[in-house]
Amino acid sequence: MASTARRYERFAGVEARGSSDVYEQWSRGISTDAAVLELIDGLPENKRPPNLVLAAARSRGADAGPYPQFRSFLQEHWEDIRPVILHRSTQTNEPRRCAVLLPLLAEIARTEERPLALIEVGASAGLCLYPDRYGYRYDDGGVLNDPGRPDLVLECTTTGNPPLPRSCPEIIHRAGVDLSPLNPADPEDLAWLDALIWPGMEDRRALLQAAAGAAANSPARIITGDLNAEIAGLIETAPAEAAVVVFHTAVLAYLPAADRGIFRDTMLSRLDVPGRPVHWISNEGGSVVPGLAAPAGDADPGLFVLHHNGTAVARTGPHGQSLHWL
């Protein structure tokens, strides 16, 4: 119970603080509530994370009100909420993260002088596999790659002079792997993705609906499986004329440390294969990938670190809202 309490206290103070007042209040309340902690500790260890538990409650109708109200709902409806927690997983699919990936994707295409083959591990519904279909507004500038729809324009603030592209790279292949892929055209899957969005982030909710609608017209190929078991095959089946880019955002934290190390070693070994350009983009919490150090200096612990082929190049907002180039 003590470890679960610490997890929820950290979530309140580091992740939810400044992003969702409701989730900060709820997770802080849970961290000192023995009765609710007992409910959560009755779940398998991998089913106790705040994102999952709170989203499951939201999916069953919990309103974004004060903690006492949420506590009552949780206790009264636990038998309905618990199966959702056991069946579902945290599969937040945030298209806005494409805004922090785009500078690297464009630079890879430019230096390799090839189109790109994108492979996303932990792809969820695959909404980050379409960076060329979104528009981008960095800071107060104009819209890059205007899609003609304001609801598909991604906003991102920048510092540190990132290499912002003038156009999107050509993408000729999109694929992914997930333990339980979601279908952007399925109402139940879309409702779960909606429940994963934190209270107070209505802009993310509107973007999800627009991006899912666009992806449903031509969904990417996302296979069901373990990323370590499938990544080699996905790389091999990508078009030979393309530069392969394997990427992930907020995914590896859900793997055991040993599996993260296996994935890291697999990717580093693939970078040096002659005649087969492969790039690896990791956008995760600073200490998530073993052996990939976070940049020196103090920084907001809630920020992610963007690595390219094992080298840190930027700090990013966890939902793609900011990009600080190193």
Side-chain angles (χ1 to χ4, degrees), residues 10-26:
R10 185 185 185 282
F11 182 83
V14 174
E15 298 182 51
R17 186 176 184 182
S19 296
S20 174
D21 292 342
V22 171
Y23 268 16
E24 180 182 2
Q25 182 189 155
W26 286 2

Side-chain angles (χ1 to χ4, degrees), residues 36-212:
V36 174
L37 288 171
E38 185 176 0
L39 290 176
I40 295 171
D41 279 335
L43 298 165
E45 199 281 332
N46 68 330
K47 293 293 184 177
R48 300 173 193 170
N51 271 335
L52 178 57
V53 173
L54 301 183
R58 293 271 289 158
S59 76
R60 305 310 295 169
D63 292 328
Y67 179 68
Q69 175 184 322
F70 173 72
R71 181 185 193 271
S72 296
F73 182 91
L74 201 66
Q75 291 180 310
E76 292 171 11
H77 298 274
W78 185 247
E79 292 307 310
D80 292 328
I81 296 169
R82 190 174 188 274
V84 178
I85 297 171
L86 295 177
H87 172 68
R88 292 290 189 177
S89 58
T90 304
Q91 293 176 283
T92 301
N93 210 178
E94 178 49 68
R96 193 161 55 178
R97 289 172 178 152
C98 288
V100 303
L101 301 176
L102 184 66
L104 279 181
L105 296 175
E107 184 66 12
I108 291 168
R110 186 187 68 80
T111 57
E112 294 288 356
E113 297 183 332
R114 297 178 185 227
L116 302 182
L118 300 186
I119 300 172
E120 184 178 13
V121 296
S124 186
L127 303 186
C128 287
L129 284 165
Y130 302 92
D132 52 336
R133 298 186 187 176
Y134 302 125
Y136 301 86
R137 180 179 290 108
Y138 293 98
D139 305 309
D140 296 325
V143 177
L144 166 69
N145 197 50
D146 190 344
R149 292 181 55 179
D151 55 356
L152 288 175
V153 175
L154 313 182
E155 307 269 355
C156 181
T157 61
T158 72
T159 53
N161 196 31
L164 300 179
R166 295 183 178 180
S167 62
C168 287
E170 181 185 4
I171 298 168
I172 63 171
H173 179 78
R174 308 167 207 267
V177 57
D178 197 283
L179 288 174
S180 182
L182 300 179
N183 180 355
D186 184 292
E188 289 189 6
D189 283 352
L190 189 56
W192 175 241
L193 288 173
D194 187 85
L196 285 164
I197 295 174
W198 300 359
M201 296 184 172
E202 298 310 311
D203 57 333
R204 291 180 59 203
R205 183 161 285 110
L207 174 59
L208 169 67
Q209 297 293 330

